Amino acid sequence: MNFLGHARLSLAGSDNFLFGNLIADGVRGSDLSDWSPEVEAGIRFHRRCDAVIDAHPETRWLLTQVPPSSRRVAGIAFDMMWDHLLAAEMHDDDIERLYRLLAREEVPSRLSSLIEWIQVRDALRRYQELEFTLATIASIGERMTARRRLRQTSDTCQTSDTCKPSDTCKPSDSRNERHTHKVVSLDAGANPLADMTPWLADNRAMLEDSFARLWPDMLALRQPPAI
């Protein structure tokens, strides 16, 4: 799920617990000892919710309905669409609470540009707008496409005899300075998330019905943080 989905499941908790839920995607690894117990509990709850929704029968069924070319990235689109469906139910005070917590200095650096984007565009409110949500999904896909292009360019350089020490590309393994080639599984120029947006728009009613069946199981996970 995305920000609003995780927020809805953790609003009843403390600010620190909610904060942990909001930043969890920017935290790597199982060692969370750098965080306070409440934030750690929020991160672990976020991860549990992600595991449940990814394995949910409704999610698995939806994956069979999407265009095959977009199936590998469909989970990202679903996350955004769930926020679209939830946005209209969010109280303004809760949205302001989320923005306040997302502005905390402790936000992981890998999330900083995303959070700035959300704040500047007031995205947590604008997710109510289907067109804004679809444009955001396409934009995420474009960033993924740009990274694939960069990776493919780097890999081509790494496997080329003309690669020089001054070139931008670097050996993937500095210990033995051997160049390795990563296989890009998707066409580096493709944007399957953008390609999926017409399907999302045409099937919004089906997605809403599916989410209505899925969401009660997610709400059942809510519990006071165990700290």
Side-chain angles (χ1 to χ4, degrees):
M1 293 181 296
N2 205 45
F3 282 101
L4 294 184
H6 284 290
R8 281 291 307 275
L9 295 177
S10 53
L11 280 171
S14 68
D15 277 2
N16 282 336
F17 179 71
L18 176 56
F19 179 69
N21 277 272
L22 296 177
I23 64 157
D25 284 334
V27 179
R28 297 292 181 264
S30 58
D31 182 4
L32 304 177
S33 58
D34 288 341
W35 301 96
S36 73
E38 285 182 296
V39 173
E40 177 182 349
I43 293 170
R44 295 196 186 282
F45 182 66
H46 174 117
R47 292 175 177 179
R48 180 187 176 201
C49 290
D50 276 351
V52 170
I53 200 168
D54 288 347
H56 196 282
E58 202 66 36
T59 304
R60 293 183 178 278
W61 175 79
L62 280 174
L63 286 173
T64 69
Q65 305 301 304
V66 303
S69 61
S70 298
R71 199 160 289 164
R72 291 189 60 186
V73 296
I76 299 170
F78 293 159
D79 286 350
M80 299 300 300
M81 289 300 294
W82 304 155
D83 269 16
H84 165 65
L85 296 174
L86 290 169
E89 303 176 10
M90 293 292 294
H91 298 296
D92 197 64
D93 287 348
D94 291 331
I95 293 291
E96 288 301 321
R97 183 185 177 198
L98 299 182
Y99 279 135
R100 174 170 56 82
L101 292 176
L102 289 174
R104 284 170 54 157
E105 294 181 1
E106 301 95 319
V107 168
S109 59
R110 58 172 54 93
L111 286 183
S112 57
S113 60
L114 171 61
I115 290 172
E116 181 181 2
W117 182 92
I118 288 173
Q119 293 170 324
V120 168
R121 290 163 179 78
D122 195 15
L124 298 185
R125 289 189 179 89
R126 294 197 63 194
Y127 284 148
Q128 296 184 52
E129 307 166 20
L130 180 59
E131 289 305 317
F132 177 83
T133 304
L134 295 178
T136 300
I137 292 170
S139 177
I140 293 170
E142 181 54 38
R143 291 196 296 274
M144 293 170 61
T145 300
R147 287 196 294 270
R148 285 200 303 273
R149 291 192 192 108
L150 181 62
R151 187 182 307 121
Q152 187 178 65
T153 300
S154 177
D155 290 343
T156 299
C157 176
Q158 290 173 6
T159 56
S160 171
D161 292 336
T162 62
C163 194
K164 302 178 181 61
S166 59
D167 290 339
T168 301
C169 99
K170 297 290 189 292
S172 61
D173 187 345
S174 60
R175 291 169 298 179
N176 56 24
E177 297 188 352
R178 289 188 305 133
H179 295 299
T180 59
H181 179 69
K182 298 177 183 178
V183 177
V184 180
S185 57
L186 293 170
D187 180 351
N191 184 345
L193 279 172
D195 294 343
M196 189 179 175
T197 56
W199 183 90
L200 294 169
D202 292 343
N203 291 278
R204 184 191 180 283
M206 182 188 74
L207 291 166
E208 186 173 7
D209 289 344
S210 184
F211 186 65
R213 293 188 291 270
L214 179 157
W215 188 238
D217 290 340
M218 302 309 299
L219 291 175
L221 297 176
R222 292 182 299 179
Q223 58 185 354
I227 58 172

